[in-house]
């Protein structure tokens, strides 16, 4: 059974540990200073510790899930224990080159999941370092498959991925909330407004992902001349919904690049 360690079991790190442990396919160890906050993971068989070096030493694959400003400190602490091991960094704004300078003997993957991994429905983009083998990629795919869907990308796209799918659950949550508020405005009970809004988003996503229907095709399936949907679409277009979303992702990408520049090129 593959031994996987998670250094930094915060929200994302503990969700990774939970998903992998619940699969029954891996032995999982996780570290965090405040172990009390993740005691529930022990019920799934996750071994908890405050010792990052113990995690690195005991694991064949290591997730680095600390905050970006902690990456250098943690890697200096454990780098000598990562030789030949697959190191999967989910730390935002931290390029492979910086990780490699701190842990030169590790086999490095830079990944960006989102909070959907809590329910094993993350989209995870990843970029690989130069010394990662085909066998490493096979193992990586097996692991990421436990978290949801995944895709390899060029590393230069990671800031945009952070802004789109990393931050994306917040945009979709805002949409669900807005739809639910609209339901409340036209007289729907609160539970019905939220349930119908959430399942509408869920079902629409499944039509795209499973039935391979383009969003424009899904939209056309609902539109009828002079009907209710085209009336609603008219006001959404007038409000500039698509432009607002594009501007939001563009702004978030710009911010991701600013953060990366500040962290990795300090004055």
């Amino acid at each position: 059974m593959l031994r996987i360690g998670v250094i930094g079991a915060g929200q994302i790190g503990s969700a990774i540990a939970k998903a992998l442990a619940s699969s029954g396919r891996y032995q999982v160890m996780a570290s965090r200073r405040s172990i009390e906050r993740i005691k529930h993971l022990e019920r799934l068989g996750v071994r908890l510790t405050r010792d990052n070096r113990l995690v690195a030493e005991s694991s064949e694959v290591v997730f680095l899930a600390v905050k970006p400003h902690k990456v250098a400190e943690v890697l200096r602490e454990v780098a000598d224990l990562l030789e030949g091991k697959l190191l999967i960094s989910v730390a935002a704004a931290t390029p492979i080159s910086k990780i490699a300078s701190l842990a030169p003997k590790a086999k490095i993957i830079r990944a960006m999941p989102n909070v959907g991994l809590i329910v094993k429905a993350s989209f995870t983009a990843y970029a690989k370092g130069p010394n990662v083998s085909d066998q490493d990629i096979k193992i990586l795919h097996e692991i990421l498959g436990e978290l949801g869907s995944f895709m390899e990308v060029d590393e230069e796209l990671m800031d945009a991925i952070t802004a789109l799918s990393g931050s994306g659950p917040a945009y979709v949550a805002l949409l669900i909330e807005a739809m639910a508020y609209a339901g409340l405005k036209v007289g729907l009970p609160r539970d019905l407004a939220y349930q119908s809004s959430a399942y509408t988003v869920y079902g629409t996503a499944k039509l795209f992902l499973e039935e391979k229907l383009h969003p424009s095709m899904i939209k056309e399936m609902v539109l009828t001349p002079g009907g209710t949907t085209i009336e609603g679409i008219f006001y959404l277009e007038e409000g500039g919904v698509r432009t607002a979303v594009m501007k939001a992702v563009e702004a978030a990408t710009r911010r991701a690049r600013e953060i990366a520049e500040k962290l990795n090129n300090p004055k």
Side-chain angles (χ1 to χ4, degrees):
M1 190 176 287
L2 190 68
R3 301 189 306 277
I4 298 178
V6 179
I7 296 178
Q11 181 164 277
I12 293 296
S14 61
I16 291 170
K18 178 182 177 181
L20 297 179
S22 65
S23 74
R25 300 175 60 192
Y26 308 102
Q27 292 179 9
V28 183
M29 179 184 291
S31 65
R32 179 174 173 153
R33 283 179 296 180
S34 303
I35 290 180
E36 295 73 18
R37 295 185 180 183
I38 54 171
K39 277 288 186 180
H40 62 281
L41 294 177
E42 289 184 323
R43 295 195 297 269
L44 297 170
V46 179
R47 183 180 173 190
L48 303 180
T49 179
R50 295 182 177 85
D51 189 345
N52 293 334
R53 285 185 62 80
L54 180 61
V55 174
E57 183 178 27
S58 304
S59 305
E60 298 163 277
V61 175
V62 176
F63 275 89
L64 181 66
V66 299
K67 295 185 183 301
H69 68 277
K70 289 285 187 180
V71 167
E73 176 186 337
V74 171
L75 285 181
R76 290 190 188 103
E77 179 186 359
V78 303
D80 61 304
L81 301 172
L82 296 174
E83 182 174 356
K85 295 182 179 181
L86 193 59
L87 175 64
I88 306 171
S89 171
V90 297
T94 310
I96 290 172
S97 59
K98 179 171 183 177
I99 298 168
S101 71
L102 296 162
K105 295 183 179 180
K107 295 183 284 188
I108 299 164
I109 298 289
R110 179 183 176 187
M112 175 50 62
N114 63 34
V115 295
L117 61 84
I118 293 171
V119 289
K120 297 193 174 188
S122 173
F123 174 76
T124 303
Y126 75 88
K128 62 183 180 182
N131 58 342
V132 176
S133 70
D134 290 343
Q135 180 60 27
D136 295 326
I137 293 299
K138 181 180 178 181
I139 292 170
L140 175 71
H141 286 182
E142 290 173 355
I143 293 170
L144 294 184
E146 296 290 347
L147 309 181
S149 181
F150 56 87
M151 184 181 295
E152 182 178 2
V153 302
D154 292 335
E155 189 182 12
E156 63 186 21
L157 300 178
M158 291 298 282
D159 289 333
I161 286 290
T162 300
L164 180 61
S165 64
S167 300
Y171 311 149
V172 177
L174 188 66
L175 173 62
I176 291 172
E177 188 176 56
M179 291 173 65
Y181 282 6
L184 294 174
K185 192 172 189 304
V186 296
L188 294 182
R190 186 177 301 276
D191 288 349
L192 176 57
Y194 275 97
Q195 284 284 315
S196 60
S197 298
Y199 268 101
T200 298
V201 171
Y202 174 66
T204 305
K206 290 193 76 173
L207 285 172
F208 173 76
L209 293 169
E210 297 181 10
E211 299 298 322
K212 310 302 181 187
L213 297 179
H214 191 276
S216 62
M217 186 178 298
I218 298 171
K219 186 173 62 177
E220 289 299 321
M221 291 168 65
V222 187
L223 287 171
T224 55
T228 59
T229 306
I230 190 60
E231 188 74 9
I233 290 290
F234 173 80
Y235 282 96
L236 288 172
E237 293 290 5
E238 186 177 56
V241 169
R242 281 192 277 195
T243 300
V245 172
M246 287 188 281
K247 285 184 175 180
V249 174
E250 186 177 40
T253 301
R254 186 165 58 248
R255 182 57 179 154
R257 289 171 179 160
E258 289 170 355
I259 292 170
E261 179 68 22
K262 183 177 180 179
L263 284 170
N264 300 303
N265 297 287
K267 293 182 180 179

